[in-house]
Amino acid sequence: MRTETMNYAAPPRTRKEVRSLVDRVIKKASAMSPDELFGTLVRAGIYTKNGKLRKAYGG
């Protein structure tokens, strides 16, 4: 799996900036394979490596 450096910028301030950010995230997630997407969700702490939702997300 590929890892990237996270670049944290200032949060979006306008509706246009938010929409642009959402569009970029959707485009990037849509281009990922199922395994890449699942790995991202595991690294984000949403799922466990076993595929179960974490308690904070209803698991």
Side-chain angles (χ1 to χ4, degrees), residues 19-43:
R19 184 63 197 180
S20 176
L21 178 61
V22 169
D23 288 344
R24 283 195 333 245
V25 169
I26 290 172
K27 184 177 178 182
K28 190 166 188 168
S30 296
M32 290 181 176
S33 72
D35 288 339
E36 288 173 320
L37 187 56
F38 180 70
T40 299
L41 295 172
V42 169
R43 284 191 306 278

